[in-house]
Structures are given as structure tokens and as C-alpha cells.
Amino acid sequence: MTTATTSSALYGEALHGSPVHVRHADGRCVPLAAARWLGAARGADMALLARAHGPVLDVGCGPGRLVCALAARGVPAMGVDTDREAVRLTRRAGGAALQRSVFDDLPRQGSWGTALLADGNIGIGGDPPRLLRRVAALVHPLGRVLLELAPPGGAAASAAVRLETPDGRRGEWFPWARVPSDSAEALCRKADLRLLEAWSVDESDAVGIRRRRWFAAASRG
Ligand SMILES: C[S@@+](CC[C@H](N)C(=O)[O-])C[C@H]1O[C@@H](n2cnc3c(N)ncnc32)[C@H](O)[C@@H]1O
């Protein structure tokens, strides 16, 4: 039997370790990577953080592993996330975070040294050029946007997704986008940004499964 619930409720469960999946409109179903977000920053995160100059705004910070890792390095950082539980967990871990949408009014607009769109957060809202233009406006004219992308290949695409649990509970559909790494330059152009660098890093997860993560850095100038 399937039961309707909210994405927010299911995301909250995922942030407490319960198995939650992402259902794509084409039928694919993949586990939500919450276990990685709940751990400490590691692997490819380190190369990302090394490129982040403060103050850093982590857009869609989740439970705050990147905000906390930056703070531990002495880099001023704040997360912004629409999800109340994500913000609570970030603060509980010692990080600064605001419960707000990236499209809302935010502190230090136009003066962040770096904005992060990690863990596929370029997908937020399903309209990557709009999101990237918004994030670009948040950083200082000499600042940078660091984004994580999908593996190369295939077209950039936006589609509805929803969260589901193995016991049949389903959240509402919401828009999300996938941007492959080889579309980074075209995306930056649409957002009036300049692609500065693209890189990828191999890492192993907690059970030793290897995977590669893809990133890009862009600036306003
Ligand atoms: C893929 S998860 C990111 C995980 C996170 N980077 C981490 O380290 O745990 C996407 C996050 O974006 C947040 N989000 C979705 N829409 C948002 C918006 N409009 N503004 C800010 N955050 C948003 C979600 O609540 C969720 O925490």
C-alpha cells in the first residue's frame, strides 16, 4: 500500500538514518545519499574545500558537513537550507545556518567570497541557469561559485523527482535538474559566469565502493 506524505518528512527521516529513495519521473529509483551527507567531509570534499575562500555560503547545506569542516579550518562559513531539520542538525554540529531559500533575502548578498553548490545542488529548483545567476549575485565580484556536477555524458535535463520509502510512503513531486560535467561551460555562459576550472576526484565510500565526483569553479569576471 502506498501512502502520501511530504518530502520534508521523508528527508527528515533520511537525515536520521532511515532508507529513503529518489524516484525519477522516468521510473528510475536511486538511494538518497544521506549517509554521506551525515558523515564528516572526506575524499573529494577536501579538494572542494581547499578552493573555498571565505566567507563561504553553502547553498543547500543539508546537515552541514561542509560548513563544519570549513569552520574547523578557520574559514567563516554559513549554510542556507529550506529544511528545518537540516538547519537544526548543522547548528547542533556547531555550524552556522539559516532556514531560508537561496532565492530569499540573505545576509552579505554580493559579498560572499565563495558559494558552494555541492552534492548535485545545482539541481535545486530544476532551472540551473536561474539558480546559478542567483548564486552569482550572492558572491563578491571577485568571488567564486564552486559547483558539483553529474558525470559527463548525456544532456542537461530537468524533471520531477519525489522521495519514497521502502514501506511505500511517497512525498510530493518537485523539480530537480541534472547537469553533466561536460555541460558546465555552456551553463556558466547562460549565467554570465566564466568557467575557471573543472576537475574530478576519485573517492571510496564508507564500504570501499569507488566512485568519481565532478566539479567546476566559475567567477563573475
Ligand atoms: C542534495 S541535498 C544536499 C546535501 C548537503 N550538501 C549536505 O552536505 O548534506 C539538497 C539540499 O538542498 C536543500 N534545498 C532544496 N531547495 C532549496 C532552496 N531553494 N534553497 C536552499 N536549500 C534548498 C534541501 O533541503 C537539501 O538539504
Side-chain angles (χ1 to χ4, degrees):
M1 200 182 90
T2 64
T3 318
T5 179
T6 62
S7 299
S8 171
L10 296 183
Y11 185 55
E13 289 183 28
L15 294 183
H16 288 276
S18 299
V20 172
H21 291 80
V22 182
R23 173 75 63 185
H24 292 258
D26 63 7
R28 280 176 304 125
C29 191
V30 295
L32 191 69
R36 184 166 63 79
W37 307 333
L38 287 165
R42 55 190 289 279
D45 293 336
M46 295 310 179
L48 181 70
L49 297 177
R51 288 165 168 87
H53 306 294
V56 178
L57 180 68
D58 183 8
V59 176
C61 64
R65 78 181 194 288
L66 300 177
V67 172
C68 292
L70 286 162
R73 291 170 174 222
V75 180
M78 187 187 85
V80 57
D81 202 296
T82 44
D83 188 78
R84 189 171 53 163
E85 187 58 7
V87 169
R88 193 186 70 80
L89 290 173
T90 300
R91 290 179 179 158
R92 195 182 71 177
L98 265 187
Q99 189 194 350
R100 226 171 265 185
S101 167
V102 62
F103 294 106
D104 292 341
D105 265 352
L106 292 172
R108 290 182 187 247
Q109 304 202 84
S111 64
W112 293 94
T114 305
L116 300 180
L117 283 166
D119 306 315
N121 283 358
I122 186 65
I124 286 173
D127 185 346
R130 174 174 178 251
L131 174 63
L132 204 47
R133 276 194 293 272
R134 166 61 180 153
V135 171
L138 292 171
V139 297
H140 186 275
L142 299 176
R144 306 203 300 175
V145 181
L146 302 180
L147 53 152
E148 182 165 358
L149 300 151
S158 296
V161 297
R162 75 177 173 205
L163 300 184
E164 296 185 4
T165 55
D167 64 4
R169 285 171 301 133
R170 296 172 172 184
E172 71 282 8
W173 293 99
F174 60 92
W176 198 260
R178 174 191 183 275
V179 180
S181 60
D182 45 355
S183 298
E185 188 144 28
L187 172 61
C188 287
R189 232 178 291 121
K190 285 185 192 165
D192 297 321
L193 287 175
R194 187 161 64 92
L195 180 65
L196 297 173
E197 185 191 4
W199 73 97
S200 63
V201 179
D202 285 321
E203 68 177 22
S204 301
D205 70 12
V207 292
I209 296 171
R210 291 191 72 74
R211 67 173 199 141
R212 179 169 285 207
R213 292 170 62 195
W214 306 81
F215 301 90
S219 74
R220 289 170 61 174

